[in-house]
Amino acid sequence: MSKRIKYSEAALVYAKIMSHHGNAPFDDTDAQQFWHELDDRVNPQDALAAVEQFYGSHPGTDWMRSGDVNILTKRMRAARIPEQAQIGRLMDQAGISSDQALAYRRRLIRETEQGTPVQEAHELAVEAAHRQAIEAPKPAKPRPKRHYFAGRGQEQIGAMSLKETLGGAA
């Protein structure tokens, strides 16, 4: 999976963290390491909101690290996911069958986690569920039977000499 946040966006988040500590200087290596440590699902909007949330509730002496960004953005994503009862109502409303339920739920949750409004995520999930078509695998073509007996058949074994049967090894 590729990262949802670009290096330049991660550097801005890191600069915002440093601004809470007297604009502490940092170099490209620090920003690169911060970006690599961010979870693949972190997006720029959530990361900036996580910095604001962290420094709004922590004293100025605490330093925010990439792990803190990951934890706070994970909580934000989880808070956006609709309740199971609401997902069930949306599925009933759209007429999603039990065969399509898994594809629907996965798409709905993925979209809402990333900040897509529930109604728009619902429409995308319905489209994904109806597009999904699971077909049974086609049976393999039967292979022709091959006989690996000397002379291609048991009835011919007695008709051949020992030298022909063993291939000249006798």
Side-chain angles (χ1 to χ4, degrees):
M1 175 185 259
S2 63
K3 289 192 177 286
R4 296 185 191 269
I5 188 169
K6 297 176 190 170
Y7 168 72
S8 59
E9 295 164 335
L12 288 174
V13 173
Y14 195 63
K16 187 170 185 175
I17 292 170
M18 293 299 141
S19 72
H20 287 276
H21 300 282
N23 288 326
F26 66 93
D27 60 14
D28 189 50
T29 308
D30 296 333
Q32 188 82 23
Q33 185 64 32
F34 179 79
W35 179 62
H36 280 294
E37 291 173 354
L38 288 177
D39 189 280
D40 291 343
R41 293 173 292 172
V42 172
N43 64 41
Q45 298 80 15
D46 288 350
L48 290 170
V51 173
E52 292 174 10
Q53 182 181 350
F54 182 87
Y55 286 107
S57 62
H58 284 76
T61 58
D62 290 345
W63 283 74
M64 185 177 205
R65 296 178 304 265
S66 56
D68 299 317
V69 174
N70 290 338
I71 290 169
L72 290 173
T73 56
K74 185 176 183 177
R75 288 179 188 160
M76 289 177 191
R77 289 191 306 272
R80 290 187 195 118
I81 297 172
E83 298 285 327
Q84 291 299 323
Q86 183 180 3
I87 292 174
R89 285 191 300 273
L90 289 170
M91 287 173 59
D92 290 341
Q93 173 188 346
I96 301 295
S97 69
S98 60
D99 294 335
Q100 300 167 325
L102 183 61
Y104 174 85
R105 284 178 185 273
R106 282 183 178 170
R107 184 67 183 261
L108 182 76
I109 289 171
R110 184 179 346 128
E111 293 295 331
T112 55
E113 275 184 339
Q114 289 304 314
T116 306
V118 175
Q119 192 57 37
E120 187 178 333
H122 167 68
E123 292 167 7
L124 292 169
V126 168
E127 181 183 318
H130 288 306
R131 192 173 358 142
Q132 177 197 23
I134 299 177
E135 296 178 13
K138 295 178 182 173
K141 293 181 182 178
R143 291 184 173 182
K145 293 185 180 180
R146 297 180 189 221
H147 303 283
Y148 293 101
F149 296 109
R152 295 194 187 112
Q154 289 179 327
E155 68 277 352
Q156 296 178 355
I157 288 178
M160 298 173 64
S161 70
L162 185 59
K163 187 174 184 180
E164 292 172 337
T165 304
L166 297 177

